[in-house]
Amino acid sequence: MNAPSGSVLDGSPTQPAPKSPGFAAEFKDAVTFRAFTLVLGGLLVQLAFVVSYVGAFHSPTPHRIPVAVVAPQQAATKIVAKLNALAGDPVQATAASSTAVAREWVLTRHTDAAFLFDPTGTRDTLLVASAGGPSVSQTATQIAQKIEASEKRQITVTDIRSPNSGDGRGMTSFYLVLGWVIGGYLTATIMGMASGSRPANRPRTLIRLAALVPYAVVSGIAGAVIVGPVFDALGGHFWALSAIGALTVMASAATALALQTLLGLLGTGVVILLFVVLGNPSSGGVYPAPLLPAFWSAIGQALPPGAGTTLVRNTVYFSGHATGSALWVLGAYAVGGAVLAWGASWWREGRGGTAPAEPAPEPSPAV
């Protein structure tokens, strides 16, 4: 019987087993510098998320809640001065000429509450509109009750615009806008990272922007259907909400596409930082601006989640009053994002940032 080739029996040398490269080399191969930086980036976003939400919500404190005061002129001057001199500036009081004017200020979002002083008795009235943010109405009520108790007076609270029965604590506007914003930037991200997609040059950017338009329209209509006919939370404003939804989705998607075209994978992180880490807690959905710390109160209405929440709430509950700024903000993100996306793709083309065109195949030789 012949011995197998390469065995000890036929006298030929055996092949040595491959030597292990060692743990350090294996670790270096498994955990690349790119992977390490991505994990580190994820950790930083995670910590920023915790810091932002806890920082915004851990201790809601009233700051300059707008309040109208109705009283005889001499009494009104004293009440306004007393309210504005409270420690910590919890309210910003302004005298109103009549109950009708004060009521109009609340319903047009000029003020969050109205204090009606009774000069002939000891029972005053506080007008609130909890649809604009129940937490602010509750805080204004607590402040008024405390002051009235110190003056041996009583107060009656009247909610002149409460949330719809299907809207619970008035949070539907926030959740609706949150869904629109997330859907917008996720769709833009998927378009840029889908298998086989190429870097965005100008034609591809225009095509992707064009594709986002019908998606935004469908998203707006779908959201309006959910909060209207399906759950009856924000009924009666179907087409207005559909338009707001389309604008919100386009603002989120166009901005995400622009940042991802300009910064690549880092752009996705910037989008999450702006819209989720900073945008959600500052939006006014949970606590309106007068209850947020200064930083979150300042940035909230400059970001799509805050602008969108205000636009939905004020459209549904306050006849569209105080919506101009929110419309400008969302429009700026939608148009500015589209322009920036096109400009970023043009800039990347100039730097050779897009994949070169594949060469045409050579003709096969004739047989």
Side-chain angles (χ1 to χ4, degrees):
M1 182 182 353
N2 294 330
S5 174
S7 68
V8 176
L9 296 177
D10 70 355
S12 61
T14 59
Q15 295 289 335
K19 186 177 180 181
S20 173
F23 175 78
E26 290 283 4
F27 181 83
K28 185 177 180 180
D29 183 63
V31 184
T32 63
F33 179 75
R34 175 180 173 82
F36 173 77
T37 56
L38 290 176
V39 171
L40 179 60
L43 175 62
L44 293 177
V45 170
Q46 170 190 313
L47 295 178
F49 184 94
V50 175
V51 168
S52 184
Y53 277 71
V54 174
F57 298 152
H58 78 288
S59 181
T61 303
H63 182 68
R64 300 178 71 83
I65 298 175
V67 176
V69 174
V70 179
Q73 185 173 359
Q74 188 173 1
T77 302
K78 292 180 179 179
I79 295 171
V80 168
K82 182 174 182 178
L83 291 176
N84 289 337
L86 292 174
D89 295 328
V91 300
Q92 182 180 20
T94 305
S97 59
S98 66
T99 298
V101 169
R103 183 185 179 90
E104 182 183 358
W105 283 2
V106 174
L107 293 178
T108 57
R109 310 316 294 142
H110 183 67
T111 63
D112 287 317
F115 177 77
L116 312 180
F117 177 75
D118 181 5
T120 62
T122 60
R123 182 175 290 276
D124 304 317
T125 302
L126 184 71
L127 303 181
V128 298
S130 60
S135 54
V136 170
S137 298
Q138 292 169 0
T139 302
T141 299
Q142 292 168 1
I143 294 172
Q145 289 172 340
K146 184 177 179 180
I147 295 174
E148 291 287 272
S150 68
E151 298 289 334
K152 303 296 190 294
R153 298 177 68 87
Q154 295 179 315
I155 191 159
T156 300
V157 180
T158 302
D159 193 346
I160 60 176
R161 189 58 53 83
S162 59
N164 297 336
S165 58
D167 191 13
R169 291 182 54 79
M171 296 287 288
T172 302
S173 302
F174 169 62
Y175 293 131
L176 175 62
V177 171
L178 179 62
W180 281 333
V181 170
I182 292 176
Y185 77 70
L186 278 182
T187 301
T189 301
I190 291 169
M191 291 177 67
M193 300 178 65
S195 176
S197 64
R198 295 184 179 183
N201 56 21
R202 280 175 288 177
R204 291 187 199 117
T205 297
L206 292 177
I207 291 171
R208 291 173 184 177
L209 287 170
L212 287 174
V213 173
Y215 172 81
V217 172
V218 171
S219 295
I221 294 174
V225 168
I226 292 171
V227 300
V230 175
F231 290 110
D232 194 26
L234 302 176
H237 301 80
F238 181 81
W239 290 114
L241 290 180
S242 297
I244 294 171
L247 179 60
T248 303
V249 172
M250 199 64 202
S252 173
T255 303
L257 180 62
L259 291 173
Q260 290 158 2
T261 303
L262 183 64
L263 304 175
L265 186 59
L266 179 61
T268 302
V270 175
V271 170
I272 295 174
L273 177 66
L274 286 176
F275 293 168
V276 180
V277 174
L278 296 177
N280 287 348
S282 66
S283 66
V286 179
Y287 292 124
L291 300 183
L292 292 174
F295 172 75
W296 287 268
S297 177
I299 68 172
Q301 295 305 304
L303 296 171
T309 299
T310 296
L311 188 53
V312 171
R313 273 183 178 166
N314 290 2
T315 296
V316 172
Y317 291 117
F318 301 103
S319 304
H321 289 288
T323 56
S325 296
L327 281 169
W328 277 106
V329 168
L330 292 176
Y333 276 93
V335 176
V339 172
L340 179 59
W342 187 88
S345 61
W346 175 78
W347 176 74
R348 290 180 67 87
E349 283 183 41
R351 291 173 55 90
T354 58
E358 296 180 2
E362 296 182 2
S364 300
V367 177

